[in-house]
Amino acid sequence: MALNIPGVIVMVLFYLLVLGTGIWASFKSKKEAKKIQGDKTEMALLGNRGINLVVGIFTMTATWVGGGFIVGTTEAVYNPSMGLIWAVMPVAATMCFIIGGLFFAKPMRDRKYVTMMDPFQIKYGKVPTAALSLAALISEIMWVTGTLIGLGVTMSVILDLPYTISIWISAAVAITYTLMGGLYSVAYTDIIQLILIFISLWLCVPYAMMSPASLDITTTAFNNTYQAPWVGTLEADRAWKWIDNFLLLGLGNLGLQNFHQRTLSASSSSTAKITCFAAAFIVPTLGIPPILLGAVAASTDWNLTTYGSPSPVERGETGLILPITLQYLTPSYISIVGIGAVAAAVMSSTDSALLSAASIFSSNIYKNIMRPQASDREIQWVIRVSVVFVGLAGTSLTFLDNSVLMIWMLRSDLTYTLMLPQVVCVLFFNISNGYGAVSGCVVGMLLRVLCGEPLIGLPPLLRFPGCTLVDGVYVQRAPIRTICMLSATFAILLFSYLASLLFIKGLIPEKWDVFKVKAQQSPPAECGAKTEFDELKSQNESDEVSEPMLDSRC
């Protein structure tokens, strides 16, 4: 197949539109920065906490509806071993936003944190925060990888552009406008991108459904026609695994800086909450077109198309099913529109992940740990370098695998089993401390490794009831990720309590209390007096971080 020149021209125009919007937003950001006398870093990372409700809804929704969301949902519906019942990403996102809006948005926004790692910095100090920040950075890099894979496979199939070139061009555009305008550029380009996603996806669906090579999807929903029914089945022995996946993809995202950056940049805590609730209903709506396209692909006789036989699943091209469907079941001009939808989705998520990772590194690692005396100008350059580094790292990892669903699951696994317990404990349990945080990391990571992971060829050493041998590979039927998450949470609270007890009772010398647990648990002093924990807070937090989780004031 020759290079699709009209498609390339359309994509160039699209990239110019997005880049132009980003440049305009960067000028707006600089104009706003001149009006304030405070820290310019907050302007770059959080838009000076001035993102209004409408822009907030657009940017929150666009961040979630990325290339991984669109391509991964289509892949799940088409995959004969999964089907619609396993394509839980749209519904799981609703649960994430509702819980986030009810429990997380207000306390985070009211305390005016810059990143989700700030409460760790205040309460635990430098060492635990540094370790957890690295885990958060890895999850953001994997987010970049998953979204870019979705675009790379789509452009390589439809435009016949090399996979490598497709990914690097898209990454370069996203990096450029993120560098120029920070959150303002990310937020305002998200508006353009979300509108394009909505229009483009819904435009592609009717053409695909009317293809002469495809049967009515209602006919194949429950009948084994060309492959297993696209609705899928949920056997009793897989029910716990389904619940595990649902909680993983829903609650796991609450451990992402991506989510919290949107609520922290809102103009008020009420705006942050409404943004979450609005996104909870909009995101599933944008999940309908990928579901329908996956259903059409499962209802297609590929012998009647130029794709031919065998089918994509038999060729091992399940991860490419969205671009294959657009290429062979819709007119060429419609498939180009479909690429625009995927490209818009990819960049709306990629730029968010780039800025989120830069926020954590510049604020929680560089400024608070490596160089507390760093000037505002120096931090601005650190943010720019971080954006470039994360973009290069995430783009480089796209060559390890072309399955968006696999990368999405692995990234969610990390945030669900490691970061979510930490965020919940630091925000809602006063007993938690640095010793518990470190113990929770060790317990969660060790248990997760022992449970194995077939996606990366890691065999299980710890086999829960129901673990069976399938095609020479042991498959866990138990909800192992949820077990690991709950075990990590229990370990954090248990070891935090034990450490507090041992130090407060004097069973361990206070000089060995490297995380200052005894100071943290000290009773409040009289009004006007300064407690030992107040002094600890002033050592651990940066100048811009708000009040501690444990208030010692009268």
Side-chain angles (χ1 to χ4, degrees):
M1 188 174 77
L3 182 65
N4 190 334
I5 300 299
V8 172
I9 294 174
V10 171
M11 291 307 299
V12 169
L13 293 176
F14 165 74
Y15 282 144
L16 290 176
L17 172 63
V18 172
L19 189 59
T21 305
I23 294 173
W24 169 82
S26 70
F27 285 115
K28 178 178 176 61
S29 175
K30 292 174 182 177
K31 185 177 179 181
E32 292 293 328
K34 292 179 180 179
K35 298 179 182 179
I36 63 174
Q37 301 298 322
D39 190 359
K40 300 299 188 296
T41 301
E42 193 168 291
M43 171 61 75
L45 300 181
L46 298 176
N48 200 32
R49 302 187 195 273
I51 301 300
N52 60 44
L53 179 60
V54 175
V55 176
I57 292 173
F58 269 98
T59 188
M60 179 74 87
T61 305
T63 297
W64 250 249
V65 184
F69 179 91
I70 295 174
V71 178
T73 300
T74 307
E75 178 184 346
V77 174
Y78 172 73
N79 194 328
S81 64
M82 300 179 74
L84 174 63
I85 199 169
W86 291 89
V88 297
M89 281 186 282
V91 182
T94 297
M95 181 180 70
C96 170
F97 289 128
I98 291 177
I99 294 178
L102 289 174
F103 301 106
F104 290 85
K106 182 176 174 58
M108 294 288 283
R109 178 61 182 83
D110 283 348
R111 293 182 175 100
K112 296 184 180 180
Y113 296 134
V114 176
T115 76
M116 75 171 190
M117 303 308 299
D118 284 353
F120 297 95
Q121 195 86 43
I122 295 170
K123 195 173 183 182
Y124 298 162
K126 296 181 179 180
V127 177
T129 303
L132 293 172
S133 295
L134 289 176
L137 282 175
I138 293 173
S139 66
E140 298 294 347
I141 290 174
M142 292 180 70
W143 181 292
V144 173
T145 301
T147 55
L148 286 175
I149 287 176
L151 181 60
V153 297
T154 304
M155 294 180 70
S156 62
V157 169
I158 298 178
L159 298 184
D160 200 32
L161 270 176
Y163 179 79
T164 305
I165 294 177
S166 304
I167 287 178
W168 280 106
I169 291 176
S170 304
V173 173
I175 290 172
T176 300
Y177 68 73
T178 304
L179 281 174
M180 296 183 68
L183 186 68
Y184 264 110
S185 288
V186 171
Y188 282 97
T189 53
D190 280 349
I191 296 175
I192 301 295
Q193 290 156 354
L194 190 61
I195 293 173
L196 288 173
I197 292 168
F198 182 83
I199 296 175
S200 302
L201 283 179
W202 279 109
L203 190 60
C204 293
V205 168
Y207 285 94
M209 296 182 73
M210 291 187 296
S211 171
S214 302
L215 296 178
D216 187 341
I217 61 174
T218 59
T219 304
T220 58
F222 301 98
N223 298 315
N224 196 330
T225 310
Y226 301 120
Q227 63 177 57
W230 60 265
V231 169
T233 57
L234 183 59
E235 300 85 359
D237 61 345
R238 300 177 71 193
W240 281 113
K241 189 173 181 64
W242 185 92
I243 294 173
D244 200 30
N245 286 349
F246 182 79
L247 294 175
L248 169 76
L249 294 172
L251 299 180
N253 289 324
L254 294 172
L256 271 176
Q257 167 66 10
N258 252 340
F259 171 80
H260 297 289
Q261 189 158 37
R262 296 300 171 276
T263 59
L264 292 173
S265 64
S267 56
S268 66
S269 58
S270 59
T271 299
K273 294 175 68 174
I274 296 173
T275 297
C276 292
F277 297 144
F281 293 98
I282 297 175
V283 170
T285 304
L286 293 169
I288 296 175
I291 289 173
L292 294 176
L293 291 172
V296 169
S299 309
T300 298
D301 182 357
W302 293 99
N303 281 320
L304 299 180
T305 69
T306 54
Y307 182 83
S309 183
S311 66
V313 67
E314 293 171 323
R315 298 189 193 186
E317 296 182 345
T318 304
L320 305 176
I321 193 59
L322 176 62
I324 289 174
T325 300
L326 295 176
Q327 174 69 10
Y328 295 98
L329 299 183
T330 65
S332 58
Y333 59 90
I334 294 298
S335 64
I336 294 172
V337 171
I339 286 189
V342 176
V346 164
M347 286 200 288
S348 67
S349 292
T350 301
D351 55 16
S352 301
L354 293 174
L355 193 62
S356 296
S359 301
I360 292 175
F361 180 79
S362 61
S363 179
N364 299 107
I365 296 179
Y366 190 84
K367 184 177 181 180
N368 288 345
I369 297 176
M370 297 173 63
R371 276 183 57 83
Q373 73 276 18
S375 65
D376 188 62
R377 182 176 178 81
E378 182 178 343
I379 295 299
Q380 294 291 315
W381 279 104
V382 171
I383 293 173
R384 297 185 182 103
V385 173
S386 302
V387 167
V388 175
F389 174 78
V390 173
L392 294 176
T395 306
S396 300
L397 291 177
T398 57
F399 307 105
L400 296 179
D401 197 280
N402 68 351
S403 174
V404 172
L405 200 57
M406 188 199 80
I407 298 294
W408 191 288
M409 293 293 288
L410 291 177
R411 189 267 308 162
S412 298
D413 204 327
L414 176 64
T415 58
Y416 183 57
T417 59
L418 183 61
M419 292 305 302
L420 178 64
Q422 300 287 348
V423 174
V424 169
C425 289
V426 78
L427 285 178
F428 304 112
F429 293 92
N430 289 342
I431 191 64
S432 66
N433 55 49
Y435 300 102
V438 173
S439 302
C441 282
V442 173
V443 170
M445 292 177 64
L446 180 61
L447 192 58
R448 186 64 191 91
V449 171
L450 291 176
C451 288
E453 180 50 67
L455 290 176
I456 57 175
L458 183 65
L461 299 178
L462 180 61
R463 298 170 190 169
F464 288 91
C467 183
T468 55
L469 189 64
V470 179
D471 297 330
V473 178
Y474 280 100
V475 177
Q476 301 270 22
R477 302 296 186 187
I480 56 173
R481 299 177 180 90
T482 301
I483 292 173
C484 294
M485 183 271 292
L486 294 176
S487 299
T489 305
F490 178 75
I492 294 170
L493 299 178
L494 175 63
F495 286 102
S496 293
Y497 173 76
L498 292 177
S500 298
L501 186 65
L502 291 174
F503 284 113
I504 291 175
K505 296 291 186 182
L507 299 177
I508 298 179
E510 187 176 352
K511 63 181 180 180
W512 292 358
D513 187 6
V514 294
F515 294 142
K516 308 297 181 184
V517 169
K518 191 171 182 179
Q520 179 177 317
Q521 298 297 329
S522 298
E526 297 180 1
C527 289
K530 197 172 185 179
T531 68
E532 189 176 355
F533 183 58
D534 286 325
E535 296 176 357
L536 174 64
K537 168 184 173 286
S538 64
Q539 295 172 11
N540 287 342
E541 66 175 334
S542 67
D543 293 336
E544 297 301 319
V545 176
S546 185
E547 60 190 26
M549 301 301 299
L550 295 176
D551 197 352
S552 57
R553 297 172 297 179
C554 295

